Amino acid sequence: MSALPSAIDAAAGTRRPIRELPDELVSQIAAGEVVERPASVVRELVDNALDAGAAQITVRLLAGGVRLIAVEDDGVGIPREELPLALRRHATSKIASLTDLESVGTMGFRGEALAAVSSIAELSILSRHAQADGAWLLDGRTGELKPVARAQGTSVEVRELFFATPARRKFLKTDATELAHCLEAVRRHALARPEVGFTVWHEGRLVEQWRPAATAARRIADVLGDDFVAQSVEVEHGTGTVRVSGHAGVPDAARSRADQQYFYVNGRFVRDKVLQHAVRSAYEDVLHGQRQPVFVLHLSIDPTRVDVNVHPTKIEVRFRDGREVHQAVRHAIENALAAPRAQAIGADMAAARPAPLFRPDAPPVPAPWVQPAIHFAAERGPGDMAAMWPASRAEPAAAGAMPSAAPPPAFPPAALAPPPAATAADGTQDWPLGRALAQLHGIYILAENRQGLVIVDMHAAHERIVYERLKTQLDGSAIASQPLLIPAPFAATPQEVATAEACAAVLPALGLEVSPFSPRTLAVRAVPAALADGDPVELARSVLAELAQHEASTVVQRAQHELLATMACHGAVRANRRLTLEEMNALLRQMEATERSDQCNHGRPTWRQLSVRELDGLFLRGR
């Protein structure tokens, strides 16, 4: 068996000298960090096109980008004398000093992408500057410059990717897989820049085209589909120097995979643990199981408060104040999801209400023909109708049981203060969730609204109402802390000790008091009063772990909400509880006024809408 390579040659008894690597090998090593697959090249070239002020970008691919990647734009172009510099390592027009690096506002800035790609592929640049009379073509292999014809802008061609490093080429997937990754790279840019048009060709066939859009919502609909916008809410939230905007999908639109999650920081697509944790925290109250939310969110922040020079691919960032960003993102999504969907239905009904067909002040118009009345009672007899619709149904009493009085109303209508409802043309109130018709199997409430039939899970709906009421009472006061009679010490890791010291001002706000007991031991001296019966050490470890990883912790709040959810579940109306029409209507009105009432505490839906068209389809009406 051969030995692994080593810096010391054991056979000769000598060591290898330290030497400076040639520039080509250095570029190939850098290419291993920057260029993972064809999609990486597409991302870098589109970044450069956007930084050049392009309004239209065209991407042409062959064999999924392995044989050819061509990116054309109509930006300002590159002057002839700067073209050779574009292929040198760490040559860029984006930054010139440390101050520029600390406040980067462009997509690219490292100045190594083109040099890295040129070392592993055949690269050429064709560009015409805005002030130039003609265009120039630069051959990346020979460095030759020659004049050519082209309109203003730049075209970059990359052929035979990884031809100089055949071992890297073996790790590529099928052409279809690489094409999908290239399309995703362009899709991420398209969602960030709705004012720019994007076109993608593969093997001479148009596969994607997104024209410039007037609004971000229109671009989202073009890229991800109209259903994405229809099943999302607009997010708009600003606190201090942090602003969050975009669209967040409703819980019903959640998917089994996290394949429609797009987060941008100052226009740059990123994957960050702080942001992902903030989004998940905002959804944890309304998502069922391990479902993944969908969203397109943009975070605007002072460039000096975020470090984008963290990873060669620029997909990771580091925030100066991660806690501030975490709270801003979480509150933005929570506020957007708080409004129940019934309110939107009510607004749509008010906007789409037609003019009344019958006006009380209009003179009566005699009808040309009146259908004669049909006397059901005379034909069938009153006994048939009474048998079909009995006035009351007697419940058989259990043997030996005393007859009990009717249970008190679960939802006293007099105690409610429902939001004002629209008025229909016939003068009746037009509620978003409609008027109750009946109760089905003691579980569901059937109601009628302008759209059709509403089906409500009464236990799930009432559970959410009680839960939100308890949360409101809890949020109105600070987290009460209960000192422990005997402190609970535990052996802590160096990271836990460092986190406890760094977050000493944050822990009391969570109802916790954790102090050093020895250089390697921490002691829990106080815990939230609501969680006094739990394990103080386990609680402290969980809080410190989240603070260390995400710079914010929701462990205490999550544990408190779990207790409130249990209380709400036991306090909600049970299945098989007979409700009167007044009680059913009172529950519907409370749902319309309660935040997050579309899902129960476990993330399951509380109501569903069946439109008249859907009902007609079930019975093949109109076919």
Side-chain angles (χ1 to χ4, degrees), residues 304 317 471 546:
T304 60
V317 295
K471 281 172 54 181
E546 277 202 343

Side-chain angles (χ1 to χ4, degrees), residues 228 230-233 248-256 279-280 282-295 333-334 336-341 464 595-608:
F228 186 99
Q231 295 185 322
S232 66
V233 293
V250 297
D252 287 346
R255 301 163 67 90
S256 58
V279 173
R280 191 69 194 181
Y283 274 96
E284 67 181 359
D285 222 12
V286 292
L287 276 188
H288 180 59
Q290 298 300 315
R291 303 284 290 176
Q292 296 292 332
V294 298
F295 54 83
I333 301 176
E334 283 182 341
L337 295 176
R341 203 164 68 248
R464 169 59 76 173
E595 293 183 347
R596 289 172 282 274
S597 61
D598 300 325
Q599 277 74 33
C600 74
N601 309 346
H602 315 291
R604 292 187 290 267
T606 59
W607 65 281
R608 283 287 186 255

Side-chain angles (χ1 to χ4, degrees), residues 17 128 164 171 245 278 283 317 400 514 548:
R128 177 177 178 177
F171 288 91
S245 61
Y283 274 96
V317 295
V514 181

Side-chain angles (χ1 to χ4, degrees), residues 342 408-419 429 431-438 445-447 456-458 461-463 465-466 469 573 577 579-594 597:
F411 313 97
L416 295 175
Q429 286 182 318
W431 301 102
L433 292 181
R435 291 171 294 222
L437 300 176
I445 295 175
L446 305 182
V456 177
D457 183 340
M458 68 178 195
H462 192 221
E463 186 179 9
I465 292 171
V466 176
R469 187 180 301 143
V573 62
R577 167 76 181 273
L579 301 181
T580 65
L581 284 177
E582 285 187 346
E583 292 174 334
M584 288 186 261
N585 280 314
L587 175 61
L588 297 177
R589 303 293 80 79
Q590 285 184 337
M591 290 177 62
E592 293 165 353
T594 301
S597 61

Side-chain angles (χ1 to χ4, degrees), residues 478-482 499-515 526-529 543 547 556:
I479 298 179
S481 180
Q482 177 174 322
T499 304
E501 293 177 352
C503 301
V506 178
L507 292 172
L510 300 175
L512 274 172
E513 182 182 347
V514 181
S515 60
V527 296
V543 171
L547 287 173
V556 174

Side-chain angles (χ1 to χ4, degrees), residues 4 7 10 25 110 164 195-196 201 238 243 250 295 302 306 311 315 319 340 365 368 416 508 521 563 598 601 610 615:
L4 294 175
L25 182 57
R110 298 175 66 92
E195 74 280 4
V196 179
W201 296 79
R243 179 174 174 270
V250 297
F295 54 83
D302 185 353
V306 57
H311 194 272
I315 202 172
F319 297 103
V365 179
L416 295 175
T521 307
L563 292 177
D598 300 325
N601 309 346
L610 283 177
L615 294 173

